[in-house]
Amino acid sequence: VRLITDPMDSFRYFEIDFAARAAREQPIRNYLDVSSPRLVPILILKQHRSALSDLLNPLEQDLVETQALTASLGLSARCTLHTALIEQAGLAPESFDLITSISVVEHIPDDSQAIASMWRLLRPNGKLVLTVPCAREACDEYTDLDEYALFPKDDKGFVYWQRYYDEEA
């Protein structure tokens, strides 16, 4: 029923499957997830039973829910949760065998800096798996509903919401 009433979430199922398949062949000791839907790190931790993870999300309430879910699945001992933006997380360079960021980068105004931060955290031969929305023409969206309160409003009261990437972007 939820897929019918909220079809945008149905796209996440394709992305989640993509991320899980991409991680399947990657040897993983240390794994970082940057604010993906909770199902992504859970699937990856279930696939890689000895992997340790750092789960990053700037929204504290999201991490509270993530902590409850990982605890209910017996994964808490393998998860370190961080309330921070990727650029401010303070994680050591070249620390992670796998980094995922599913449906997140498009919501970061300085997406290039965020991706550069992820690359710095990746070990040699590591894998970065991310997804972004694509369109025929790239564009940025702004909204007057500041749901996350992470970025400043412009002079008209709008806040950055997301970017759509074209082939060049």
Side-chain angles (χ1 to χ4, degrees):
V1 169
R2 189 155 180 245
L3 291 176
I4 294 168
T5 61
D6 194 0
M8 186 56 112
D9 279 348
S10 67
F11 292 105
R12 292 252 169 111
Y13 291 99
F14 298 110
E15 293 174 299
I16 291 167
D17 178 63
F18 167 77
R21 283 185 292 114
R24 195 169 290 135
E25 301 299 321
Q26 182 71 16
I28 301 171
R29 291 183 317 249
N30 294 308
Y31 162 56
L32 171 65
D33 180 76
V34 181
S35 302
S36 299
R38 287 177 197 88
L39 189 54
V40 171
I42 288 168
L43 287 173
I44 290 170
L45 288 171
K46 289 293 189 179
Q47 285 176 357
H48 299 274
R49 298 199 180 272
S50 62
L52 300 176
S53 67
D54 287 81
L55 307 180
L56 183 71
N57 193 318
L59 303 176
E60 189 171 343
Q61 183 55 40
D62 276 2
L63 280 182
V64 168
E65 293 173 19
T66 300
Q67 185 175 25
L69 184 57
T70 56
S72 70
L73 295 170
L75 298 172
S76 292
R78 297 171 48 205
C79 298
T80 302
L81 283 67
H82 306 269
T83 304
L85 297 171
I86 184 67
E87 302 87 352
Q88 302 158 348
L91 300 167
E94 297 185 5
S95 298
F96 299 98
D97 305 298
L98 174 69
I99 300 174
T100 56
S101 187
I102 307 305
S103 289
V104 175
V105 172
E106 68 269 18
H107 296 289
I108 302 172
D110 192 350
D111 55 353
S112 295
Q113 182 180 347
I115 293 170
S117 296
M118 290 181 218
W119 278 119
R120 279 191 296 277
L121 295 172
L122 202 60
R123 283 190 176 130
N125 298 314
K127 187 180 277 190
L128 172 60
V129 178
L130 58 89
T131 64
V132 296
C134 297
R136 188 171 65 89
E137 293 182 28
C139 67
D140 291 349
E141 287 184 341
Y142 291 80
T143 181
D144 59 354
L145 175 63
D146 192 4
E147 185 175 353
Y148 304 122
L150 292 172
F151 306 114
K153 291 185 176 185
D154 67 14
D155 58 349
K156 295 180 184 176
F158 287 88
V159 66
Y160 178 83
W161 175 242
Q162 72 179 345
R163 177 170 292 117
Y164 288 89
Y165 299 81
D166 62 9
E167 188 172 339
E168 182 180 333

